[in-house]
Amino acid sequence: MIGIVGGIGPMAGVDLYKQIVENTIAATDQEHLPVLLASLPNEITDRTSFLLGLTDKNPASALARVVMLLNNAGCTHVGIACNTAHAPQIYEPMVALLAIMGSRVELVHMIEEVIRQITLHPAQPQRIGILSTIGTYKTRIYQNRLEAEGLTPEVLDLPLHEALPQRAIYEIKAANTHIPQQPVDLVNEAILHLKNQGADAIVLGCTELGMIEERLDLQGLATFNPNLILARTLIERTFPHKLKHVLERG
Amino acid sequence: MIGIVGGIGPMAGVDLYKQIVENTIAATDQEHLPVLLASLPNEITDRTSFLLGLTDKNPASALARVVMLLNNAGCTHVGIACNTAHAPQIYEPMVALLAIMGSRVELVHMIEEVIRQITLHPAQPQRIGILSTIGTYKTRIYQNRLEAEGLTPEVLDLPLHEALPQRAIYEIKAANTHIPQQPVDLVNEAILHLKNQGADAIVLGCTELGMIEERLDLQGLATFNPNLILARTLIERTFPHKLKHVLERG
């Protein structure tokens, strides 16, 4: 059974679940996969606030409790629908806690899977533009992993990153299901900047950004949606014969 | 914590979850409610096939197992995102099994809540058109409860019911997330028939139909979406101060 740590934000967990449904070969209800989505947003501190030092409370312990809930309910593979939660400052203590708590689930690491897809992409992109929260940006989650693969991360200057993707992400969180045009415009502006800086690919490195992918002007750049990649990996690891052929855009 | 029995179909459980998010007063991730969505579609027999005698396997036992999973994970209130599962032939044995298994959750009964909203509606509709699966239709789930309230159910003749809503529902299930125009047209035709028969309200009595509500031509009739009503009741019973003011259309 697949487990999803959702609620961070609530619609990002839903989006991951939808991506699993959409990428599963199934024509009837019964042909779909067993999935448990645990959304306990009230217990999980804002990841970016923690990474910026605005709160001392590491969301790692609440995240570990949610993973254990999924473990105890019978999940074998778990994905966390939040890029920022994969910052080593959060992810590593969470993994340590899970070992102590006796978790047996296999965690699928969203960022590692995105990096793998970038290295496998037929267009062989070299300069990878990153859109994310300030938490993901400042902890260099993507930058470090890309550089380790010999690729060049492209990011905006900090003031621009705050004014465009960071602002857009929190506007999407506040809007929930009916997302207005403003965050779409902000992200489009960010994409243009990254393209002008030389980026030949874009990582929508925050689950909220994946939710507006179809409304974005991606400037023809190869685009990587971490929630889509995580969904496909979760299917591949549990029920590989049920995985649809590539749906990826870009 | 709110529990959702999803997976029947998969997108109906997602829709119920989305309706909960959309009807919750919240501007940050942390202000959203704790929800667990269990989607185990592979174990649950098609409800309509059972009610029509096409299979002997009552989905009640698999449904009870999913409710117990939610109970054991700490849910206090549970909703089942499927109208047909509320047929007494399924619902009553499920409740009996849950008592034996020691369930402590409060089940929120979708159909009872829809009936309550119909009787409270300011337009006081009297002739209630019902769109549903053949399973819900033939077991008279809505018809019996409406008549008990002194209201008149309006349904299509069986051949028309099979050709329009029943067909549309299974087309929506097969399509998953990208629903084509054909089922929308079929349901619009069904609504016109019901209006011509004298209906002054419509119940979208299958969770798949609620998913296309915004694309339907509802002919100005008062409309009741069971997933929306169930979502609002679940919030009301758990965190009443978080319930948004009425969002209902129609």
Side-chain angles (χ1 to χ4, degrees):
Chain A
M1 178 156 63
I2 295 171
I4 298 175
V5 177
I8 45 177
M11 292 313 293
V14 169
D15 183 59
L16 177 56
Y17 180 94
K18 274 179 66 174
Q19 301 275 11
I20 291 173
V21 170
E22 207 165 53
N23 283 275
T24 301
I25 299 167
T28 65
D29 293 354
Q30 288 72 29
E31 289 166 26
H32 281 279
L33 306 183
V35 178
L36 198 58
L37 164 62
S39 180
L40 298 154
N42 45 334
E43 298 189 6
I44 304 174
T45 336
D46 188 77
R47 284 67 61 201
T48 292
S49 298
F50 170 72
L51 294 172
L52 298 183
L54 304 176
T55 168
D56 283 341
K57 200 179 165 198
N58 194 327
S61 58
L63 287 167
R65 279 201 302 278
V66 180
V67 176
M68 280 309 291
L69 184 157
L70 295 168
N71 173 85
N72 295 341
C75 292
T76 53
H77 294 71
V78 167
I80 301 174
C82 173
N83 287 261
T84 314
H86 290 78
Q89 296 90 324
I90 297 172
Y91 197 81
E92 287 173 11
M94 181 195 73
V95 169
L97 277 168
L98 285 170
I100 294 167
M101 294 162 102
S103 165
R104 294 174 312 277
V105 298
E106 180 181 328
L107 283 174
V108 178
H109 194 292
M110 173 189 265
I111 314 293
E112 293 301 325
E113 295 304 321
V114 172
I115 300 292
R116 192 165 66 94
Q117 288 305 316
I118 292 172
T119 59
L120 292 172
H121 196 282
Q124 296 193 287
Q126 297 298 315
R127 301 177 75 89
I128 317 297
I130 302 160
L131 297 170
S132 69
T133 61
I134 290 285
T136 299
Y137 175 95
K138 283 205 173 171
T139 49
R140 297 182 49 83
I141 313 177
Y142 276 105
Q143 293 97 307
N144 289 343
R145 283 296 292 115
L146 287 167
E147 286 172 1
E149 299 291 334
L151 298 166
T152 306
E154 281 295 339
V155 294
L156 302 170
D157 293 340
L158 182 58
L160 215 49
H161 197 103
E162 276 171 344
L164 300 176
Q166 168 75 8
R167 185 171 157 203
I169 289 162
Y170 282 78
E171 285 182 6
I172 295 170
K173 284 180 187 290
N176 288 325
T177 50
H178 294 290
I179 300 167
Q181 186 58 27
Q182 168 152 311
V184 177
D185 293 340
L186 293 174
V187 177
N188 278 336
E189 197 183 329
I191 292 168
L192 256 183
H193 277 283
L194 289 170
K195 191 186 181 192
N196 292 338
Q197 287 179 217
D200 53 8
I202 292 286
V203 175
L204 300 174
C206 173
T207 38
E208 270 71 25
L209 299 177
M211 286 157 48
I212 58 167
E213 180 176 357
E214 289 178 23
R215 293 166 66 184
L216 293 174
D217 181 355
L218 292 157
Q219 303 286 335
L221 301 174
T223 304
F224 299 89
N225 179 336
N227 245 4
L228 169 62
I229 292 168
L230 180 57
R232 292 182 60 82
T233 308
L234 285 164
I235 300 170
E236 201 177 27
R237 300 267 179 94
T238 50
F239 301 90
H241 59 288
K242 298 289 262 179
L243 182 63
K244 271 192 194 164
H245 283 295
V246 178
L247 277 182
E248 256 182 278
R249 294 171 210 88
Chain B
M1 179 156 64
I2 295 171
I4 298 176
V5 177
I8 46 177
M11 292 313 294
V14 169
D15 183 60
L16 176 56
Y17 180 94
K18 274 179 66 174
Q19 301 275 10
I20 291 173
V21 170
E22 208 164 53
N23 283 274
T24 300
I25 299 167
T28 66
D29 294 354
Q30 289 71 30
E31 290 167 25
H32 281 279
L33 307 183
V35 178
L36 199 58
L37 164 62
S39 180
L40 298 153
N42 46 334
E43 299 189 4
I44 304 174
T45 337
D46 187 78
R47 284 68 60 202
T48 292
S49 298
F50 170 72
L51 293 172
L52 298 182
L54 303 176
T55 168
D56 282 340
K57 200 179 164 198
N58 193 327
S61 58
L63 287 168
R65 280 202 301 278
V66 181
V67 175
M68 280 309 290
L69 184 157
L70 294 168
N71 174 84
N72 296 341
C75 293
T76 53
H77 294 72
V78 167
I80 301 173
C82 173
N83 287 261
T84 315
H86 290 78
Q89 297 89 325
I90 297 172
Y91 197 82
E92 286 173 11
M94 180 194 73
V95 169
L97 277 168
L98 286 171
I100 294 166
M101 294 162 102
S103 165
R104 294 174 311 277
V105 298
E106 179 180 330
L107 283 173
V108 178
H109 194 291
M110 173 189 265
I111 315 293
E112 293 300 327
E113 295 304 321
V114 172
I115 300 293
R116 192 165 66 95
Q117 289 303 317
I118 293 172
T119 58
L120 292 173
H121 196 283
Q124 297 193 287
Q126 297 298 315
R127 301 176 76 89
I128 317 298
I130 301 161
L131 296 170
S132 69
T133 61
I134 289 286
T136 299
Y137 174 95
K138 283 206 172 170
T139 49
R140 298 182 50 83
I141 313 177
Y142 277 105
Q143 294 96 306
N144 290 343
R145 283 295 292 116
L146 287 167
E147 286 172 0
E149 299 291 333
L151 298 165
T152 306
E154 281 296 338
V155 294
L156 302 169
D157 292 341
L158 182 58
L160 214 49
H161 197 102
E162 276 170 345
L164 300 176
Q166 168 76 7
R167 185 170 156 204
I169 288 163
Y170 281 78
E171 286 182 6
I172 295 169
K173 283 181 187 291
N176 287 327
T177 50
H178 293 290
I179 300 167
Q181 185 58 27
Q182 168 152 309
V184 177
D185 293 339
L186 294 173
V187 177
N188 278 337
E189 196 182 330
I191 292 168
L192 256 183
H193 277 284
L194 288 170
K195 190 185 180 192
N196 292 337
Q197 287 179 216
D200 53 8
I202 293 285
V203 175
L204 299 174
C206 174
T207 39
E208 271 71 24
L209 299 177
M211 286 158 48
I212 57 166
E213 181 177 359
E214 289 178 22
R215 293 166 65 183
L216 293 174
D217 181 356
L218 291 157
Q219 304 288 332
L221 301 174
T223 303
F224 298 90
N225 179 336
N227 246 4
L228 170 61
I229 291 168
L230 181 57
R232 293 182 58 83
T233 308
L234 285 164
I235 301 170
E236 200 177 28
R237 300 267 179 95
T238 50
F239 301 88
H241 59 289
K242 299 289 263 178
L243 182 62
K244 271 193 194 164
H245 283 294
V246 178
L247 276 182
E248 258 183 276
R249 295 171 209 89

